[in-house]
Amino acid sequence: MHRVESKQTYTTCRGGATSVYPETVVVDEYEPGSRSVRVHDADRSGPQYDIPVSYFHETAHTRQGTRRKTGYYLVRS
C-alpha cells in the first residue's frame, strides 16, 4: 500500500476537479491506520477535506499499466 505523509501533493487521476474535491490537494495530516486523509486545496483558498485513504495512489497508472480513472496520485513529496 502507498504511504501517505504530510505535505505531499496529489492531483486527480482524471485531470480536473471532481464534483466534491479539488483537482490538486496537499496533505495536512494522516494517522497511519486511519480511514481518511485531511487535505486542503493546493492554493489554500478553500476548506479542508477528509478524503478516504483508498483514493490516494503513488502513480497515475496501475501495476498492469492502465491509467487510473479515479482517485489522486502523488506529484510531489
Side-chain angles (χ1 to χ4, degrees):
M1 183 171 176
H2 172 61
R3 184 178 174 143
V4 178
E5 297 178 358
S6 293
K7 300 190 190 267
Q8 289 177 325
T9 302
Y10 290 83
T11 194
T12 55
C13 293
R14 269 194 185 211
T18 69
S19 60
V20 179
Y21 306 123
E23 178 178 359
T24 304
V25 296
V26 178
V27 176
D28 287 328
E29 61 184 78
Y30 170 67
E31 297 276 333
S34 177
R35 293 181 179 212
S36 64
V37 179
R38 172 67 54 113
V39 301
H40 63 271
D41 62 358
D43 61 4
R44 292 190 177 266
S45 64
Q48 288 186 318
Y49 301 89
D50 288 321
I51 300 176
V53 71
S54 62
Y55 283 29
F56 292 85
H57 310 287
E58 189 169 9
T59 66
H61 295 85
T62 66
R63 288 184 184 163
Q64 293 79 19
T66 58
R67 184 143 179 97
R68 295 184 191 278
K69 294 181 177 126
T70 60
Y72 287 87
Y73 69 95
L74 181 66
V75 290
R76 186 173 48 223
S77 291

